[in-house]
Amino acid sequence: MLSPAMIDRLNEQINLEIYSSHLYLQMSSWCAHKALEGSALFLGQHADEEMMHMRRLLGYLNETGALVIIKGMEAPPSDFNSLTEMFEKIYSHEQLVTSKINDLVHLANTEPDYSTLQFLQWYVAEQHQEEFLFKSVLDKIKLIGTEGQGLFFIDQEIAKLAANSTALETTTMNAGGAA
Ligand code: FEO
């Protein structure tokens, strides 16, 4: 059984994961609009991943008998000055998500709520990977540059990340594991 404070905080996290999905879907559409097909594909896949993060939390709350509350939320930004600015925003957003997961871990540890503490370990590892992933995209953008054909080559590099993500999901599904 979860404390009311923990239920509230897990509900907040569910809504933040939904917002993350909306944000990346919107960004994916912006990229498609700018003919950045690789980035559009990559971000569309990432929007799906965020919904998977949400579903995992939702399943956990349902198992405890708590009620999940899906709230109304603000619209994500829909215009960006550049691909670089957009990925900088993503990196900051993921750092925010990490801080929220850390707050949840802190609450679980201090209550103490060992079941939730264990459940959250997956998110701790996932946030490490997410920050690493988006930092690596920003590093690629800095390395290649956006002048001339740079943007085209960056988009191709990001398309490879989308393909790797699809291959990983296929392997995981064939192995019968959860993503
Ligand atoms: Fe669900 Fe990208 O954090």
Side-chain angles (χ1 to χ4, degrees):
M1 175 157 170
L2 303 179
S3 71
M6 183 59 81
I7 293 171
D8 277 358
R9 280 293 297 109
L10 287 170
N11 258 313
E12 273 178 35
Q13 193 65 35
I14 283 174
N15 283 277
L16 180 60
E17 301 292 349
I18 296 173
Y19 176 79
S20 302
S21 182
H22 290 182
L23 177 65
Y24 298 150
L25 260 186
Q26 181 64 70
M27 288 171 162
S28 168
S29 180
W30 182 86
C31 291
H33 184 62
K34 302 284 180 191
L36 296 163
E37 300 300 339
S39 304
L41 179 64
F42 172 69
L43 288 167
Q45 286 178 349
H46 214 81
D48 291 346
E49 251 189 61
E50 297 299 345
M51 290 307 271
M52 184 273 285
H53 294 173
M54 179 278 290
R55 284 192 170 278
R56 218 175 169 113
L57 283 155
L58 182 139
Y60 180 72
L61 269 181
N62 283 347
E63 282 166 12
T64 67
L67 179 65
V68 170
I69 307 285
I70 307 295
K71 296 181 178 163
M73 57 192 72
E74 63 175 301
S78 56
D79 198 17
F80 309 94
N81 292 318
S82 64
L83 191 71
T84 310
E85 184 201 71
M86 198 194 70
F87 273 101
E88 281 169 349
K89 281 187 190 299
I90 294 176
Y91 187 49
S92 315
H93 181 71
E94 288 300 334
Q95 287 176 317
L96 169 77
V97 175
T98 300
S99 77
K100 299 290 184 188
I101 294 293
N102 286 344
D103 289 348
L104 267 168
V105 169
H106 181 71
L107 179 63
N109 201 32
T110 50
E111 276 196 347
D113 175 347
Y114 295 120
S115 169
T116 304
L117 188 63
Q118 185 184 40
F119 168 75
L120 289 170
Q121 295 315 301
W122 184 89
Y123 287 87
V124 172
E126 179 70 4
Q127 279 313 119
H128 172 77
Q129 286 304 320
E130 300 252 293
E131 285 198 29
F132 172 70
L133 175 66
F134 289 115
K135 173 78 167 52
S136 73
V137 171
L138 278 174
D139 287 345
K140 275 188 177 40
I141 291 174
K142 278 188 199 137
L143 195 67
I144 299 171
T146 54
E147 297 301 314
Q149 292 183 317
L151 204 52
F152 174 75
F153 288 120
I154 286 166
D155 194 53
Q156 286 197 324
E157 286 297 315
I158 295 173
K160 285 183 206 163
L161 291 175
N164 286 346
S165 166
T166 304
L168 187 66
E169 264 176 37
T170 306
T171 309
T172 312
M173 279 171 65
N174 288 342

